[in-house]
Amino acid sequence: MMPRTRLAAALILAMAFLFCLRSESWDPCVQVVPNISYQCMELNLYKIPDNIPTSTKILDLSFNHLNHLNSHSFSNFPELQMLDLSRCEIQMIEDDAYQGLNHLSTLILTGNPIQSLALGAFSGLSSLQKLVAVETNLASLEDFPIGHLKTLKELNVAHNLIHSFKFPEYFSNLPNLEHLDLSNNKIQNIYHEDLKVLRQMPLLNLSLDLSLNPLDFIEPGTFKEIKLNELTLRSNFNSTHVMKICIQGLAGLKINRLVLGEFKNERILKSFDTSVLEGLCNLTFEQFRIAYFSKFPRSDTGLFNCLVNVSAISLLSLNVDSLEALPKDYRWQHLELTNCNFKQFPTLKLNSLKKFVFIGNKGMSTFIEFELPNLQFLDLKRNHLSFKGCCSRTNFGTTKLKHLDLSFNDVITMNSNFLGLEQLEHLDFQHSNLKQANDFSVFLSLRNLRYLDISYTNTRVVFHGIFVGLVSLQTLKMAGNSFQNNLLPDIFTELTNLTILDLSKCQLERVSQMAFHSLPKLQVLNMSHNKLLSLDTLPYKPLHSLQILDCSFNRIMESKEQELQHLPRSLALLNLTQNDFACVCEHQSFLQWVKDQRQLLVGAEQMMCTQPLDMQDMPVLSFRNATCQMNKMIISVSVLTILLVSVAGALVYKFYFHLMLLAGCKKYGRGESTYDAFVIYSSQDEDWVRNELVKNLEEGVPPFQLCLHYRDFIPGVAIAANIIQEGFHKSRKVIVVVSQHFIQSRWCIFEYEIAQTWQFLSSRAGIIFIVLQKLEKSLLQQQVELYRLLNRNTYLEWEDSVLGRHIFWRRLRKALLDGKPWKPEGTADADSRQQEATTST
Ligand SMILES: *[C@@H]1O[C@H](CO)[C@@H](O)[C@H](O)[C@H]1NC(C)=O
Ligand SMILES: *[C@@H]1O[C@H](CO)[C@@H](O)[C@H](O)[C@H]1NC(C)=O
Ligand SMILES: *[C@@H]1O[C@H](CO)[C@@H](O)[C@H](O)[C@H]1NC(C)=O
Ligand SMILES: *[C@@H]1O[C@H](CO)[C@@H](O)[C@H](O)[C@H]1NC(C)=O
Ligand SMILES: *[C@@H]1O[C@H](CO)[C@@H](O)[C@H](O)[C@H]1NC(C)=O
Ligand SMILES: *[C@@H]1O[C@H](CO)[C@@H](O)[C@H](O)[C@H]1NC(C)=O
Ligand SMILES: *[C@@H]1O[C@H](CO)[C@@H](O)[C@H](O)[C@H]1NC(C)=O
Ligand SMILES: *[C@@H]1O[C@H](CO)[C@@H](O)[C@H](O)[C@H]1NC(C)=O
């Protein structure tokens, strides 16, 4: 037992060793951009790899086991600009660890449990702009040895153990600092003393993030005379009281943008009231944003008393549900309401408002007209709104509108062509359900419109004047709609300034030759995801500026070579992937063209054949022309052969009987016939044939030899051959037993037809008709030829009476005897005498 466990242990050890060895030295880094960018993430590296080019600028070493950074650790990579050392278990960084990285601008140290950071750890980083030291056990900014990083713009020390808000002295040495992220630390109190440095050497454009610190107290006057670009305080306060006190503590601050609020999953405040924001009256700020307060008062506009002079307001995910009470004289110019809970569309009356963004508000269904006389920018996307009548000046009470976004809403019924909204430059309806857009020239007055998006609006273009008036349009997106007859008609006549046109997913099967004739400036045309069957390039000919043509995801099998010459010369990119290319020699010239145009075609390697079966899912580029030369030869030879064979076959088939019969005639001519008569009858009449005909003729005197297919046909030989060889060739005469069954049975008719031919060829009166029953004339007339013959020739009628039978047999024998060779034994005479004798009895 013991040795076995030991062996196992040894094996495991060896494997572990091999695994480590393999991990460390064999796993190559991913080459993102050769000589420039390498990704060595999570490769179980224990040291910095040395097989990476010295020219590397971007190096990602995250999630490895570097533990310890010695001095000059990166001296192999003097060109480095960006170094990611996230979660590398680094505990110790020695002096000069990054020495020589004069071009490094970004250093990421996130998630390293640093215990020992030498004073000269960051020395040599003369270009560093961004240092990310999130989650690095940092306890104080004071001890962070970055004072010499004069170029630093962004310092992120979030998620550490910093207690003090004191800006260290060395900040006066960092004149470029614009972002300081101190979020998620342990700062509780902010004192006047902390910002001493900023008072001496103001950082005019500093953005400061203090979110997720458990703020308790801000000493009044701390921010007096301080100027910042932005201050963010989210999820900082555990009660409204603390929040109120702290906001008062901000008095005197001059700031461009203030952000207050909580985070979606970090909501602490249990209540909220108007007084909380009172302190804001002692601040000077331009923009205000507030987010995710769950207890935000629904319609208390008193909250905004201190925001009268603010120019931009943004409310995100709050419970506000009405803003009607806002005084008209508020100076707000931009208002953004996102994911709030309005029950009704807010009919604001703010004279100053220029930009109104109202997105993703649930709970309303109908748009209500409002009066915002200075509004220029209106974004109402994703509100499930329906519009009864769109769009004109009366909807928004403004004539200054330039940007209108009604995308991702409900039904929008068009009943006006933007009267009074002639200033519009940008219009977006995508993914709303547009009604009546196709009934008249809706966009007629929009002579300034540059951008129009009606993608996925359920529009079926029937009316050709739909885009009349859009003379300045540069971008038109109409993906996911449809056209009458799946044909793209000539509807862009006035759009002479158009540069981008998206017609993807429009179920198009054909394109009118004139469709693009008025678009000389078009640069991008997207025809992908349609149903085009061939790359008919003629319509693209007038597109003198076309650079990108996307015809991917169609059903294109080929294109005629002479047509390919019509592609515009300016074309730089053609996407033909995901089509149904037929890799057959018939389209050889097109396939060759594909090979020649590899530069032009996007992903030429990914263009696959779908036909023929044996080429399915093979790259189009793998198609060999040489096989076609061969194939051509083979094909022409085989076609010729097949042609000859089939002609011969057809001839043989047509004249098969004649040929056979011809052969038979000769034989007959030589007097080789062995039967006196070949009997054609329906199997239904077989009883009569056996019991009457055969008995009387074969057993009578003279005996006649009959050919009967049930008896005389050679088994295993095809019926037709039998009939001809045995039946006709070897018989002098043919007896046709005509009955009701005979006429109805196709087989009999077939035999009869052959017999006719034979009669014709031998030009003998060789056919003897026996009519068994009275025939219905109408039935007989269906068999025209038989009917004719019966009328023309005399025939024997079978009569089942003593006298009738007697006459019948006499006449039949006589007919059969006609032309029977004379036998020297005198049998013929004897026969005839015998016959006379029988007949007279
Ligand atoms: C990468 O650098 C090596 C050595 O400097 C050079 O030979 C090679 O051509 C470079 N490769 C690329 C893709 O630039
Ligand atoms: C201030 O910083 C912001 C980014 O935080 C930047 O967009 C803005 O241009 C800067 N302003 C000045 C005057 O440098
Ligand atoms: C708020 O925070 C302070 C200091 O961190 C603490 O003493 C107090 O108990 C907290 N209050 C609540 C309601 O959590
Ligand atoms: C504004 O600040 C002054 C003194 O700095 C103070 O007296 C006043 O109460 C403050 N107002 C508010 C609303 O906090
Ligand atoms: C807004 O500006 C006006 C005039 O500039 C001033 O009288 C008023 O006190 C300001 N209101 C607030 C809350 O800052
Ligand atoms: C088309 O664009 C050109 C410049 O790109 C501009 O000068 C011209 O006015 C535009 N045409 C119309 C009808 O807007
Ligand atoms: C064309 O449209 C399709 C889908 O609508 C899109 O995926 C593709 O990127 C577009 N092509 C170009 C060149 O923009
Ligand atoms: C076709 O290729 C172009 C250029 O690479 C790309 O932008 C476009 O998205 C491609 N089309 C589709 C449908 O993927």
Side-chain angles (χ1 to χ4, degrees), residues 231-243:
L231 175 63
T232 305
L233 296 171
R234 295 176 72 175
S235 296
N236 288 99
F237 313 107
N238 67 1
S239 77
T240 33
H241 176 70
V242 174
M243 182 168 178

Side-chain angles (χ1 to χ4, degrees), residues 819-837:
K820 188 172 162 88
W822 179 80
K823 303 238 171 92
E825 295 89 33
T827 41
D829 279 355
D831 288 352
S832 75
R833 242 179 284 127
Q834 177 70 35
Q835 185 205 21
E836 286 303 314

Side-chain angles (χ1 to χ4, degrees), residues 685 738-745 773-776 779:
D685 302 323
V738 182
S739 70
Q740 209 92 311
H741 304 301
F742 180 83
I743 296 170
Q744 281 162 352
S745 143
Q773 306 135 345
K774 275 260 174 283
L775 294 170
E776 259 184 62
L779 199 63

Side-chain angles (χ1 to χ4, degrees), residues 591-634:
L591 298 168
Q592 182 58 44
W593 178 85
V594 169
K595 281 184 200 173
D596 297 342
Q597 301 294 324
R598 252 184 267 191
Q599 299 296 321
L600 177 68
L601 292 164
V602 192
E605 298 77 23
Q606 275 103 53
M607 290 169 61
M608 299 297 168
C609 307
T610 52
Q611 286 177 39
L613 272 182
D614 61 327
M615 285 290 285
Q616 214 164 27
D617 296 328
M618 303 267 282
V620 171
L621 292 179
S622 70
F623 181 81
R624 295 270 162 271
N625 276 350
T627 50
C628 286
Q629 311 302 342
M630 277 293 288
N631 282 354
K632 252 187 205 156
M633 280 276 290
I634 293 171

Side-chain angles (χ1 to χ4, degrees), residues 708-719 722 726:
L708 296 162
H709 65 71
Y710 72 82
R711 193 178 65 187
D712 300 316
F713 279 4
I714 304 161
V717 178
I719 290 276
N722 253 331
E726 292 300 306

Side-chain angles (χ1 to χ4, degrees), residues 218-248:
I218 297 180
E219 190 179 353
T222 305
F223 289 92
K224 204 158 185 264
E225 309 292 316
I226 299 286
K227 278 187 188 169
L228 293 176
N229 177 52
E230 185 170 317
L231 175 63
T232 305
L233 296 171
R234 295 176 72 175
S235 296
N236 288 99
F237 313 107
N238 67 1
S239 77
T240 33
H241 176 70
V242 174
M243 182 168 178
K244 185 178 170 180
I245 300 292
C246 286
I247 287 179
Q248 281 172 354

Side-chain angles (χ1 to χ4, degrees), residues 280-281 283 304-309 331:
L280 292 179
C281 284
L283 264 66
F304 303 117
N305 284 342
C306 293
L307 303 173
V308 174
N309 293 339
R331 301 208 186 150

